[in-house]
Amino acid sequence: MIGLLGLVAGLGLLIWLALRDVNIIFASVICALVVIVTNALPLADSLTGAYLSGDLGAFTFAGRFFLLFAAGAMFGKIMGESHAATSVAMAMVRAMGKDRILWITVLACALLTYGGVVVFVVIFAMYPLGLRLLKEADIPKRLFCGAAALGAGTFTLTALPGTPSIHNVIPTLKLGTDLFAAPLLGLFGGALMFALGMAYLERERVKARANGEGFEPGPRDVIPDLNEIARDIPPWPLAVLPLALVIATILAPRLLGGADSENAIIAFANAQPVIWPSFALLIASLVALAIFPAVRRKPLQILGEGTQDAIMPLMATSAVIGFGGVVAQTGGFALFTETVLGLDLPPMMSMFAAASTVSGITGSSSGGLQIFMATLADDYLALGIAPEELHRLVAMASGGLDSLPHCGAVIAMLTITQLTHKQAYKDVGVVTVVVPIVATLATIVLAMAV
């Protein structure tokens, strides 16, 4: 009983500390110690093994995915510093009109993240332009948060086939699938997330206007002039080229041949679910450096800064996974596993409950995915779920409860936009928690029906 209470206390403390903006790495160590002590786990072995270097260890995860994080951050840095991301967004403004700011924000963020730009970079790149458009359209900043979260943090990360996100890569290592696993299910779920999210945001926009709620800048907001933004940015067809190159490079091995292809490059690409997307992002980064004058003058500095930008997100995610590695050693987690597997539910529904709960506990979809794959994937394969379906559905399931208030990405977004949980979390929560859960359950029903 003490062990179970300690497990709950450790989880609760992690959420409490995250909500108070305590460094998540420090918080994960403190909470891991709470779980270790209350569950009478061996201190040294738990810290050096389960937390740091075990199958779910922080350093194990960091080592496995460092290249992907670094390549994504470098590419994002180049797209931001070259103003290519702004160029893509402004092209959408010209095509759709500034009054469609919520649509523009969602679609621009989706395009950038599907092209390999990391979520944090997308928000930084979109925010200055978003401020200008929000002011002109007189739309509350809270809805910008919702739109950015929908475009950058839902269907492009977990549902759409082919995305180079970490969430789409993790299942491949365990299941032997590729980034295009169960494409029809992914397209269905992604389209549903987009439709439901946009319907909610448009309803809130209309309600805000009827209630007289408009744009209010934050104390540190600097609203740029659109004419100044337009200077020194590449034409949009050129700006889109690196994004298209990432997707095309990832897609090429699938189009040219399967894993059994005799071509050495194709066979290598299909056998390397982490290295190949990293390579695609690196190639696109080099091409972007060559074609964008704003970054051509200091390429090594830009690449170095991009690599540095990868460190904190990687270590924060790794620390949460290390905490999960300690949790996975406890009797309480074993009881949770037995309970979920013993539920009188279809295997896919049971899988959804397990993946959602683990991601909610860690406040991280990638952390939840890693823990699920290491501890529960074999059980659900044994229950008859096909590897490709498990890949897509568990990735989607991880992207719901992960965005509870203690989620690091949520806290970072609110910090960037100078809003509080009270002001903006309702909109972010609807589009990143409620909408993905509904879409995932609908996709599971479709998978069970066919």
Side-chain angles (χ1 to χ4, degrees):
M1 178 59 73
I2 293 178
L4 185 58
L5 290 175
L7 178 58
V8 173
L11 297 174
L13 181 60
L14 181 64
I15 294 172
W16 187 83
L17 292 173
L19 284 173
R20 278 147 186 81
D21 202 26
V22 175
N23 180 279
I24 195 65
I25 299 174
F26 171 74
S28 73
V29 174
I30 296 300
C31 296
L33 286 171
V34 170
V35 174
I36 290 169
V37 172
T38 55
N39 283 267
L41 298 175
L43 180 62
D45 289 346
S46 296
L47 285 177
T48 60
Y51 183 83
L52 290 178
S53 59
D55 290 340
L56 290 174
F59 288 171
T60 303
F61 180 88
R64 186 174 294 160
F65 294 106
F66 171 75
L67 289 178
L68 185 59
F69 270 78
M74 282 190 290
F75 181 60
K77 186 71 173 179
I78 293 168
M79 292 296 288
E81 291 288 324
S82 67
H83 309 298
T86 301
S87 177
V88 171
M90 290 187 66
M92 292 183 175
V93 171
R94 291 190 293 270
M96 302 173 68
K98 63 186 179 184
D99 290 336
R100 309 291 283 179
I101 174 60
L102 297 181
W103 287 81
I104 292 167
T105 301
V106 172
L107 293 174
C109 289
L111 178 61
L112 292 170
T113 49
Y114 190 71
V117 182
V118 295
V119 174
F120 297 101
V121 174
V122 170
I123 297 169
F124 273 116
M126 283 294 300
Y127 189 53
L129 179 62
L131 282 176
R132 178 78 251 179
L133 298 177
L134 288 170
K135 180 179 180 181
E136 295 201 12
D138 198 26
I139 292 175
K141 278 174 62 177
R142 65 180 177 85
L143 293 181
F144 172 84
C145 284
L150 177 64
T154 59
F155 55 94
T156 53
L157 291 188
T158 63
L160 293 188
T163 178
S165 72
I166 188 70
H167 314 75
N168 199 30
V169 171
I170 288 174
T172 66
L173 301 179
K174 176 68 177 182
L175 303 175
T177 51
D178 62 25
L179 300 184
F180 294 86
L184 296 181
L185 292 180
L187 290 172
F188 173 81
L192 193 54
M193 288 183 201
F194 174 76
L196 292 175
M198 286 309 311
Y200 170 79
L201 291 172
E202 281 297 305
R203 190 193 71 174
E204 287 298 306
R205 180 184 65 82
V206 173
K207 285 174 57 179
R209 179 158 297 178
N211 294 333
E213 182 186 1
F215 174 75
E216 293 183 9
R220 299 188 305 276
D221 284 338
V222 177
I223 301 176
D225 184 272
L226 286 180
N227 292 326
E228 293 181 2
I229 294 178
R231 297 174 187 170
D232 197 30
I233 69 170
W236 74 263
L238 199 62
V240 170
L241 179 60
L243 300 171
L245 183 59
V246 172
I247 299 169
T249 304
I250 293 172
L251 186 61
R254 185 179 179 89
L255 295 178
L256 297 177
D260 297 328
S261 172
E262 295 182 2
N263 184 288
I265 296 178
I266 295 174
F268 173 82
N270 282 298
Q272 298 294 332
V274 175
I275 297 297
W276 188 252
S278 304
F279 174 76
L281 290 163
L282 180 59
I283 291 297
S285 297
L286 296 177
V287 169
L289 285 172
I291 64 177
F292 297 142
V295 292
R296 193 185 303 150
R297 294 183 291 271
K298 46 180 181 179
L300 295 180
Q301 180 181 341
I302 295 292
L303 291 174
E305 290 174 354
T307 305
Q308 182 64 35
D309 290 344
I311 300 301
M312 283 311 298
L314 175 61
M315 291 309 299
T317 303
S318 300
V320 170
I321 289 172
F323 169 77
V326 173
V327 169
Q329 304 300 310
T330 66
F333 188 81
L335 178 62
F336 163 76
T337 302
E338 293 175 7
T339 302
V340 172
L341 290 171
L343 291 174
D344 188 18
L345 291 172
M348 288 186 182
M349 288 295 184
S350 172
M351 173 276 299
F352 169 80
S356 297
T357 303
V358 173
S359 294
I361 288 171
T362 60
S364 166
S365 52
S366 56
L369 263 177
Q370 183 74 2
I371 293 169
F372 179 94
M373 286 297 160
T375 60
L376 292 166
D378 288 334
D379 294 308
Y380 284 101
L381 290 172
L383 290 175
I385 302 179
E388 288 213 346
E389 289 185 341
L390 182 60
H391 172 139
R392 185 57 52 212
L393 294 175
V394 78
M396 292 174 62
S398 73
L401 293 182
D402 70 305
S403 298
L404 293 175
H406 64 295
C407 172
V410 170
I411 293 171
M413 174 183 288
L414 296 180
T415 301
I416 293 167
T417 57
Q418 303 168 56
L419 295 173
T420 65
H421 279 79
K422 183 178 180 180
Q423 291 172 311
Y425 182 73
K426 185 194 80 168
D427 302 304
V428 173
V430 168
V431 300
T432 62
V433 178
V434 178
V435 165
I437 286 175
V438 171
T440 302
L441 289 173
T443 306
I444 287 174
V445 171
L446 175 65
M448 293 169 60
V450 296

